[in-house]
Amino acid sequence: MGFEKFLFYVFATIVVVAAGMVVTRRNPVHAVLYLVLAFVASSGLWMLMEAEFLAIALVLVYVGAVMVLFLFVVMMLDIDAAAMKAQFIRYLPLGLLIAVIMLGEIFVVVGPDTFGLDQFAKPDARPADYSNTSELGMVLYTVYMYPFEIAAVILLVAIVAAIRLTLRHRPETKYQDPAQQVRVRKGPDRLRIMQMPAEPRAVPVKAQAVPDQGEAEAE
């Protein structure tokens, strides 16, 4: 077994173990951290496949941005651990059934009979100046141009829908309207003079000075 195959088994084992920890940990923060570990190990597998651009994009986009955002969101949520445990026990049989079905589908797809190593020849060695980034861009913007554009439109619609769902008008919320502030006039909009009738104010009566007890005895 060569060193490359050894690295493959190491990264693959880390991915499988980290993925199992994601779905079995009770602490959501720990689950997110294990998911980050799975992404990093997956980027190592991409590097072994000579897909450097995909490996770097996986680390920068998912690990550096998306998963950090998930981690902050999970840390700010008020999660009831007791309720999560009850729901976990309740849906455990259904989860095991779905896991068995998924494992069967994976075995059918990547089994040795349908996706064996003997069916595909080893890829040819590339020259030193070969760039998989440029090749990926050429394929993405020529062969898969329409699927790429459709995916971009779907993501744009999802962003607009998320903003629309969270942008709700609440009467108790105080906000500023710049258009209304620009139309303000200096007369009735800024200053309003109110006339009120004057009322006589009662003058308090001064209390008479009470002589000190010592002075009264001296008199």
Side-chain angles (χ1 to χ4, degrees):
M1 182 174 62
F3 184 69
E4 184 177 355
K5 185 178 292 187
F6 171 76
L7 289 179
F8 170 79
Y9 283 115
V10 170
F11 286 127
T13 304
I14 293 175
V15 171
V16 173
V17 174
M21 290 295 181
V22 171
V23 297
T24 56
R25 295 298 90 187
R26 297 180 178 179
N27 193 334
V29 178
H30 295 170
V32 173
L33 293 177
Y34 277 114
L35 187 57
V36 171
L37 178 61
F39 282 152
V40 174
S42 300
S43 66
L45 294 176
W46 283 112
M47 291 291 291
L48 292 177
M49 297 173 62
E50 298 182 359
E52 295 85 3
F53 176 77
L54 295 178
I56 296 174
L58 182 62
V59 173
L60 293 180
V61 177
Y62 285 92
V63 178
V66 178
M67 295 314 304
V68 173
L69 177 61
F70 284 176
L71 182 60
F72 278 110
V73 171
V74 169
M75 291 176 64
M76 289 187 295
L77 291 178
D78 188 10
I79 300 176
D80 190 1
M84 290 183 59
K85 295 178 183 178
Q87 296 294 331
F88 180 80
I89 299 299
R90 178 181 178 183
Y91 294 104
L92 181 60
L94 180 60
L96 292 177
L97 178 62
I98 295 175
V100 170
I101 295 175
M102 292 178 62
L103 288 176
E105 294 176 350
I106 293 173
F107 179 78
V108 171
V109 173
V110 301
D113 298 334
T114 56
F115 198 70
L117 297 178
D118 298 335
Q119 299 182 11
F120 299 94
K122 186 177 181 180
D124 298 333
R126 300 294 182 177
D129 57 348
Y130 175 78
S131 175
N132 56 12
T133 304
S134 61
E135 295 293 332
L136 180 63
M138 290 294 296
V139 175
L140 186 63
Y141 289 102
T142 54
V143 180
Y144 300 100
M145 180 66 183
Y146 289 108
F148 181 76
E149 294 294 335
I150 293 173
V153 172
I154 293 175
L155 291 176
L156 179 60
V157 172
I159 293 174
V160 175
I163 295 175
R164 182 62 184 88
L165 290 175
T166 56
L167 186 61
R168 299 177 182 177
H169 179 70
R170 299 178 180 179
E172 66 275 5
T173 304
K174 297 181 180 180
Y175 62 94
Q176 295 180 351
D177 189 0
Q180 186 178 0
Q181 292 177 348
V182 171
R183 293 193 300 266
V184 169
R185 295 172 297 174
K186 66 178 181 179
D189 295 336
R190 291 292 186 181
L191 178 63
R192 184 172 58 180
I193 301 177
M194 301 178 61
Q195 294 182 359
M196 298 179 62
E199 296 180 359
R201 186 174 59 180
V203 179
V205 180
K206 295 183 179 180
Q208 297 180 359
V210 180
D212 191 17
Q213 185 176 1
E215 295 179 356
E217 293 177 356
E219 293 179 355

